[in-house]
Amino acid sequence: MTEISRNERLVLLFLKSASRKVREDEISIDGVDGRGIASAISYLDRKGLISVEKSYDVRYEATEEAKRYSEKGLPEERALDLSRDGKIFVSEIMESLGSQEGRIALAQLSKLGLKPRNGAIDIADTEKIRKILRERREALKSIISGSSTDSESIRHFLGRGGLLREEKKMIRIVSINSSGFDALSSTGDEESLDQLTTEMLETGSWKGKKFRRYDISMPVTPVNGAYYHPLTALIKTIREIFFDMGFTEMTGNYVESSFWNMDALFIPQDHSARDMQDTFYVDTNADEKDIPGDLEKRVRRIHERGFDGYKGWRYPWSESESRKLLLRTHTTASTARYLYEHNNPPVSVFSVERVFRHESVDWKHLAEFHQIEGAVYSREVNLSTLKWILSEFYKKLGFRNIKLIPSYYPYTEPSMDVVVLFNGKEIELGGSGIFRPEVGKILGLKAPAMAWGLGLERLAFLYYDLEDIRSIYNSDIEWLRRFTLKI
Ligand code: PHE
């Protein structure tokens, strides 16, 4: 036997006495609010005790722009007001209405057959047009007040765009069916109770009462709790991997001096990466005391003249250029600073932090993204330890087929790019290399050091099998829910 609740029973009784199809919002029951009725209908539907048809109520909501037009006049109406001696000048329309509304006015007038020629519109019969437009505005007013459903006017204003918003509301139309009648008669007149109260227990009035049983087979709506964002989840995984490999985490600042971002890494001051096209510069300069004086001298010497058989870049190094502040373009700036401050080997350090580049954004580029930076400074450093660490890192994330291809960075030699083959495309994940002797000399290193800077979002793109890197930041709720399972 189907058990029904008090509200369900009341709704069934209402439908029985109505003995016709009833719109959900026509049902009114003393002591039960709209939500209670709606939920009773859903349950009765699932239990198969009523028949439900769905219909849609369409309403039109006017935008602010539409309201403004209904008060001030439609743009085409206001343009018409500018007519003198059977002419309206396009330049006057633009000046008086502004370019946006001016363009709308011209488009609407031309649909009425009033097209400009030689910068002006000729109108023979202003009164006739005025009348059409007056009626048009009246129609807009009545749509806004909700008193008109004239489909032709609605179509006109919908077609103009930006004036009306269509709001569809689903309405259920319900009627009791034969199983519903059966359910009513089998429960009899006596209601079964939904709840046991303290009072019933105290007075003992529960004795002999009929209680509704729980239906544990009823489907329930899943509850979505809070989860980590997929990118945060991936960062956590990456941090665990580095911690497991014995690395220390370092942090840096978004705003960095050119000195740490470039000069300390032996990037020449005329290097293309410094161009305004690639780097976001900040208006102010770094404070003098932020850059150690002796280090500055060393950077100048090595850029200009090199050391011990290394020739340097051979140009006059500029202190003021190195003081320019910028949004860091790579986290290798943190590596430079960290190694300078910790120059006793062995050191293994990493960070997963944000960097900024003046890039045009597309399916595989972002202007703001994270780099997985890491460095090892030790006598053990060489190309095969670098290859091993990178492959090991990606292997732990499930990528077995990475390729390391020769590349160039001004601060490493040799340099290698990490590439992954994915869906027939080669995707570049980042760069790596062994710091040049010039960088070692600048930072005061006593052993070789190697480093890498890998794109986090590119990795997330592969890891989460996305089609567009931008979707990571779109926060589509369905996508976010789907990927909670990855943690
Ligand atoms: N900093 C480089 C980049 O932003 C990557 C890199 C880091 C290359 C360390 C070599 C060594 O692409």
Side-chain angles (χ1 to χ4, degrees):
M1 187 188 76
T2 317
E3 297 261 347
I4 51 174
S5 74
R6 191 177 115 80
N7 285 356
E8 287 160 32
R9 196 180 134 78
L10 292 173
V11 169
L12 280 184
L13 286 170
F14 184 97
L15 295 176
K16 184 179 162 194
S17 66
S19 67
R20 62 178 172 91
K21 288 182 185 173
V22 172
R23 279 168 61 104
E24 177 170 2
D25 54 5
E26 286 177 78
I27 303 178
S28 89
I29 298 168
D30 263 357
V32 185
D33 62 7
R35 246 209 272 160
I37 292 173
S39 118
I41 290 177
S42 303
Y43 278 107
L44 289 170
D45 185 21
R46 280 191 229 163
K47 292 175 184 175
L49 305 180
I50 55 174
S51 312
V52 178
E53 288 163 27
K54 286 178 184 163
S55 117
Y56 290 90
D57 263 9
V58 184
R59 279 182 1 102
Y60 296 95
E61 180 85 46
T63 63
E64 285 309 311
E65 191 179 347
K67 287 181 193 154
R68 215 172 45 226
Y69 288 179
S70 86
E71 283 156 23
K72 278 205 320 198
L74 299 158
E76 59 270 33
E77 252 184 316
R78 279 178 279 138
L80 200 66
D81 287 343
L82 300 168
S83 73
R84 259 179 292 118
D85 307 328
K87 261 190 193 317
I88 324 172
F89 290 97
V90 172
S91 56
E92 236 178 286
I93 296 180
M94 290 309 205
E95 201 172 304
S96 154
L97 273 69
S99 70
Q100 204 184 344
E101 293 195 352
R103 250 181 282 134
I104 297 175
L106 286 175
Q108 291 302 327
L109 289 176
S110 103
K111 280 193 190 154
L112 293 167
L114 301 172
K115 293 198 173 64
R117 219 174 320 128
N118 301 329
I121 303 174
D122 291 320
I123 320 178
D125 188 351
T126 331
E127 257 330 295
K128 195 176 110 214
I129 304 286
R130 222 182 271 282
K131 182 159 172 282
I132 296 176
L133 297 184
R134 215 179 306 121
E135 283 167 7
R136 189 179 276 183
R137 173 138 70 108
E138 286 310 316
L140 180 61
K141 276 191 183 156
S142 30
I143 295 170
I144 293 176
S145 70
S147 60
S148 162
T149 50
D150 172 37
S151 59
E152 204 175 313
S153 320
I154 288 173
R155 209 165 334 115
H156 169 82
F157 288 110
L158 274 180
R160 290 173 72 140
L163 297 179
L164 300 181
R165 259 192 303 270
E166 198 177 69
E167 279 190 7
K168 255 188 177 174
K169 199 176 151 213
M170 197 260 285
I171 297 279
R172 291 179 291 190
I173 299 169
V174 295
S175 55
I176 183 166
N177 63 20
S178 57
S179 316
F181 282 113
D182 289 351
L184 271 185
S185 52
S186 67
T187 52
D189 283 339
E190 196 203 346
E191 269 179 25
S192 53
L193 297 171
D194 286 336
Q195 248 169 28
L196 184 64
T197 63
T198 325
E199 199 193 323
M200 288 177 192
L201 288 172
E202 279 170 358
T203 60
S205 69
W206 58 271
K207 283 180 201 150
K209 286 265 166 33
K210 226 169 95 189
F211 286 93
R212 186 163 72 94
R213 284 182 301 181
Y214 286 113
D215 181 355
I216 57 168
S217 66
M218 282 306 278
V220 291
T221 328
V223 178
N224 290 292
Y227 303 99
Y228 285 113
H229 187 280
L231 202 66
T232 312
L234 183 58
I235 292 176
K236 284 169 85 74
T237 308
I238 289 168
R239 292 177 71 225
E240 285 310 315
I241 292 176
F242 281 118
F243 287 135
D244 283 352
M245 297 206 286
F247 280 71
T248 304
E249 189 167 20
M250 64 179 169
T251 53
N253 304 312
Y254 288 176
V255 177
E256 190 50 276
S257 58
S258 300
F259 185 87
W260 285 111
N261 196 81
M262 327 235 192
D263 295 283
L265 288 165
F266 196 54
I267 301 179
Q269 291 187 328
D270 62 358
H271 194 274
S272 60
R274 298 202 191 215
D275 279 0
M276 296 288 278
Q277 291 96 301
D278 294 316
T279 305
F280 292 114
Y281 282 93
V282 177
D283 271 348
T284 45
N285 287 337
D287 210 73
E288 225 169 286
K289 62 178 185 319
D290 286 343
I291 300 163
D294 57 331
L295 181 59
E296 204 169 60
K297 283 207 200 83
R298 202 147 79 207
V299 165
R300 174 191 298 281
R301 178 160 50 84
I302 292 170
H303 274 246
E304 291 184 350
R305 288 178 277 128
F307 71 102
D308 287 356
Y310 294 96
K311 285 171 135 165
W313 297 117
R314 313 239 149 194
Y315 70 99
W317 184 79
S318 146
E319 200 174 86
S320 62
E321 186 65 35
S322 78
R323 298 247 168 96
K324 283 188 181 163
L325 288 178
L326 44 76
L327 295 183
R328 64 173 174 212
T329 58
H330 58 182
T331 39
T332 316
S334 309
T335 299
R337 204 193 272 276
Y338 193 91
L339 292 181
Y340 172 73
E341 285 164 7
H342 302 81
N343 66 358
N344 282 323
V347 168
S348 27
V349 70
F350 82 98
S351 69
V352 186
E353 293 204 317
R354 202 177 278 256
V355 299
F356 308 86
R357 286 187 200 170
H358 203 315
E359 292 260 14
S360 19
V361 173
D362 63 25
W363 70 275
K364 63 169 180 172
H365 291 95
L366 294 168
E368 202 181 320
F369 56 97
H370 292 76
Q371 279 189 325
I372 308 163
E373 178 85 19
V376 175
Y377 164 40
S378 131
R379 281 176 223 297
E380 251 59 69
V381 161
N382 55 46
L383 202 56
S384 38
T385 45
L386 177 54
K387 278 184 166 175
W388 180 81
I389 290 204
L390 291 176
S391 340
E392 197 63 16
F393 168 70
Y394 283 109
K395 202 158 47 175
K396 284 179 198 274
L397 287 168
F399 296 101
R400 287 171 184 279
N401 286 322
I402 58 159
K403 274 207 302 194
L404 298 170
I405 58 172
S407 183
Y408 174 81
Y409 293 93
Y411 35 95
T412 47
E413 180 59 42
S415 308
M416 293 186 304
D417 277 344
V418 186
V419 166
V420 131
L421 202 71
F422 179 72
N423 280 351
K425 289 191 198 89
E426 285 205 340
I427 302 214
E428 214 188 280
L429 292 178
S432 68
I434 297 177
F435 281 125
R436 285 166 71 138
E438 291 93 331
V439 176
K441 187 78 179 173
I442 289 172
L443 302 177
L445 305 187
K446 304 158 196 159
M450 60 193 189
W452 51 91
L454 314 165
L456 173 73
E457 284 79 356
R458 289 271 180 97
L459 184 65
F461 175 84
L462 300 173
Y463 196 68
Y464 292 119
D465 199 6
L466 303 176
E467 277 175 10
D468 191 320
I469 200 160
R470 289 167 289 195
S471 52
I472 298 172
Y473 290 105
N474 280 351
S475 296
D476 175 70
I477 196 76
E478 285 307 315
W479 181 73
L480 291 176
R481 281 185 184 149
R482 215 157 357 106
F483 287 105
T484 52
L485 300 175
K486 272 266 182 182
I487 318 179

